[in-house]
Amino acid sequence: MSEIMLINVSGQDKPGLTHSLMEILAEYNVGILDIGQAMIHDTLSLGILVEVPDQDALSPVLKDVLFHIHRQSMHVRFTPITREAYEEWVQGENEPRYVFTLLGRRITAGQIAQVSKVISDNGLNIEDIVRLSRREPLYKADGLGRACIELTVRGKPLNLDIMKQHFLSISQDMDVDISFQADTVYRRNRRLVVFDMDSTLIQQEVIDELAKKAGVGDEVSKVTEAAMQGEIDFRESLRQRVALLEGLDESVLEEVARELTLTEGAERLIRTLKAFGYTTAIVSGGFSYFGRHLQERLGVDYVYANELGIRNGKATGEVEGPIVDGERKAELLQDIADREGLTLDQVIAVGDGANDLPMLRLAGLGVAFRAKPLVKRSARQSLSTLGLDGILYLIGIKDTDTEQSEAVLEHAGNA
């Protein structure tokens, strides 16, 4: 009868270790039931679950492996696994899998302790932990670190809503973002990213900037804030604000466009998405003039926004055509997905205001970016500690992947 054994090897990594170890196991026709390896600094941790087909060969196998590993100045541990325990482990493969992503300027033991406690309290078991962010120097010139780890867990959460509330509390108290997603094929197969514009792709609210130039900044800012908090219907708030812009000279639009500041990580995010073949879109309750400006600057594929009425070189104080509000944003997201031949599960939506919630809820991955409290509570995912490029971590893209894609683009540009 065959025997099942778990072999754990640890110590300073040695080139060729896997090859030499497998050669020993191959001599006894050993089957590999599972294998996993991790490197922390220069230290290796290797686990191999093996099936030795001949019970009489078990002792020689272990003896040869032990001798070889000791010659490498490494450590090895053998753990017998019963057939019943193995079958129970195999059945666990049918349990749901989830991915937790922790993002912040730095990751601390305290953050992981709190998050892992919530995971454990919900009956989930951590199976894998990997680092997505690049290796960071101890001292950073700009002071803006970027750290991310991804935990893969298995099981069925006891209460999703309560778990999310706990994560929101941890995020606020410990300066870390916590994303929680089902580990489905769609998580690794998103193809379209739809962005809000104001306070998302750019740091400003464009209508507030226009209002300052028109001398009505305070009045417009108050209405803007109330609309983003969901206190006023967006359509009505837009009409009120645009009416205050009546008579504004058309040249001011170009002036404001030149002064727009991209959000941290926006260029890196869109450059990487394009390198990996994603389609991008701006769907905004702002104005199309500025959306087209960003489209040219960033290479965005689609732009939908409101049309500010201009007549004889002056703002009319009206919006021309249908208003792009929350419901319209969701409709446009669906239209773009249909046009690209994608399911909604393959769509990411990113926004900060209450009028973004319909499209955040419709998309397979909806991200509330540096959002108002109402939006954070209502959206499935939120990102506040990092720039927009933190979204790359949510779709499983490592910093090393990004660096490789940028090198390819640079080479193509120089060719």
Side-chain angles (χ1 to χ4, degrees):
M1 181 178 291
S2 63
E3 294 287 338
I4 301 173
M5 185 70 64
L6 176 61
I7 304 173
N8 291 107
V9 178
S10 61
Q12 188 169 4
D13 188 31
K14 301 291 193 305
L17 175 68
T18 302
H19 168 70
S20 58
L21 188 55
M22 290 301 159
E23 278 197 328
I24 293 172
L25 298 176
E27 291 180 11
Y28 297 94
N29 194 28
V30 169
I32 305 298
L33 300 176
D34 197 15
I35 186 169
Q37 177 175 305
M39 284 287 297
I40 303 294
H41 197 232
D42 62 351
T43 300
L44 169 81
S45 179
L46 171 65
I48 314 171
L49 188 62
V50 303
E51 182 182 22
V52 182
D54 184 355
Q55 189 176 30
D56 294 336
L58 180 61
S59 181
V61 168
L62 301 186
K63 179 181 177 181
D64 287 356
V65 169
L66 179 65
F67 179 72
H68 179 68
I69 295 301
H70 279 185
R71 285 185 61 188
Q72 303 296 320
S73 299
M74 301 180 75
H75 305 284
V76 63
R77 184 176 74 251
F78 303 108
T79 306
I81 306 296
T82 66
R83 305 185 76 82
E84 293 78 15
Y86 176 77
E87 290 300 333
E88 183 179 349
W89 176 75
V90 169
Q91 291 302 314
E93 194 77 15
N94 298 322
E95 292 184 327
R97 280 166 55 102
Y98 297 91
V99 171
F100 291 80
T101 312
L102 277 64
L103 313 88
R105 297 298 179 186
R106 63 191 292 259
I107 299 298
T108 69
Q111 294 164 352
I112 299 175
Q114 292 295 318
V115 170
S116 58
K117 182 178 187 304
V118 174
I119 290 173
S120 177
D121 289 347
N122 272 271
L124 303 173
N125 184 55
I126 299 173
E127 289 194 338
D128 194 20
I129 303 177
V130 297
R131 172 176 50 84
L132 300 186
S133 51
R134 67 187 299 275
R135 296 171 180 172
E136 289 281 359
L138 291 176
Y139 303 101
K140 307 165 190 66
D142 58 9
L144 296 178
R146 193 171 59 227
C148 177
I149 62 172
E150 183 181 273
L151 292 75
T152 302
V153 308
R154 192 178 294 278
K156 187 175 181 180
L158 300 178
N159 190 307
L160 283 172
D161 292 335
I162 293 177
M163 187 168 70
K164 180 180 177 181
Q165 290 172 14
H166 286 154
F167 285 146
L168 281 173
S169 177
I170 295 170
S171 295
Q172 293 166 3
D173 294 342
M174 307 197 74
D175 198 26
V176 63
D177 290 315
I178 307 162
S179 167
F180 168 67
Q181 304 175 64
D183 188 21
T184 68
V185 66
Y186 293 111
R187 191 184 75 86
R188 300 177 297 278
N189 193 33
R190 317 285 190 194
R191 305 310 307 159
L192 167 65
V193 187
V194 178
F195 297 96
D196 174 44
M197 181 172 65
D198 297 29
S199 297
T200 300
L201 270 180
I202 56 175
Q203 295 182 22
Q204 298 89 348
E205 289 285 334
V206 166
I207 196 167
D208 290 353
E209 300 306 308
L210 293 174
K212 292 174 187 175
K213 303 288 186 182
V216 291
D218 290 342
E219 297 96 309
V220 168
S221 290
K222 290 177 183 177
V223 181
T224 298
E225 181 63 21
M228 292 301 99
Q229 295 285 2
E231 298 169 0
I232 303 177
D233 172 72
F234 180 81
R235 287 172 176 263
E236 180 56 33
S237 75
L238 183 64
R239 292 191 183 98
Q240 289 179 24
R241 290 175 289 168
V242 170
L244 292 168
L245 300 179
E246 184 177 0
L248 183 70
D249 195 276
E250 184 179 16
S251 64
V252 173
L253 275 67
E254 182 179 353
E255 182 182 340
V256 169
R258 289 197 304 266
E259 297 171 354
L260 295 179
T261 306
L262 290 174
T263 299
E264 177 194 352
E267 287 183 288
R268 178 174 180 263
L269 170 61
I270 293 182
R271 185 170 63 245
T272 302
L273 292 173
K274 288 169 65 69
F276 283 102
Y278 281 72
T279 299
T280 56
I282 294 173
V283 175
S284 172
F287 300 120
S288 57
Y289 179 92
F290 303 97
R292 289 191 293 269
H293 171 80
L294 290 175
Q295 182 178 34
E296 182 176 344
R297 181 174 177 180
L298 297 172
V300 175
D301 298 295
Y302 295 92
V303 172
Y304 294 96
N306 294 304
E307 200 68 41
L308 180 63
I310 301 287
R311 188 173 299 118
N312 299 323
K314 303 287 185 180
T316 63
E318 296 179 348
V319 178
E320 294 183 353
I323 289 178
V324 179
D325 62 357
E327 295 305 318
R328 181 62 179 152
K329 284 187 173 191
E331 292 172 4
L332 289 167
L333 181 148
Q334 178 74 71
D335 290 346
I336 298 170
D338 291 343
R339 193 178 308 178
E340 294 291 325
L342 302 173
T343 68
L344 290 173
D345 284 319
Q346 294 176 282
V347 180
I348 301 170
V350 189
D352 73 301
N355 65 322
D356 295 312
L357 280 173
M359 74 172 184
L360 297 186
R361 290 167 177 155
L362 188 64
L365 176 62
V367 182
F369 178 72
R370 297 182 181 176
K372 312 301 184 289
L374 168 68
V375 183
K376 269 190 176 183
R377 291 193 300 270
S378 302
R380 281 171 290 177
Q381 312 293 341
S382 67
L383 179 62
S384 299
T385 60
L386 299 182
L388 270 176
D389 51 349
I391 290 169
L392 296 171
Y393 296 137
L394 302 187
I395 53 180
I397 295 179
K398 298 181 178 181
D399 283 348
T400 51
D401 300 330
T402 305
E403 291 161 4
Q404 289 173 12
S405 72
E406 290 179 346
V408 169
L409 287 175
E410 183 178 353
H411 177 76
N414 294 331

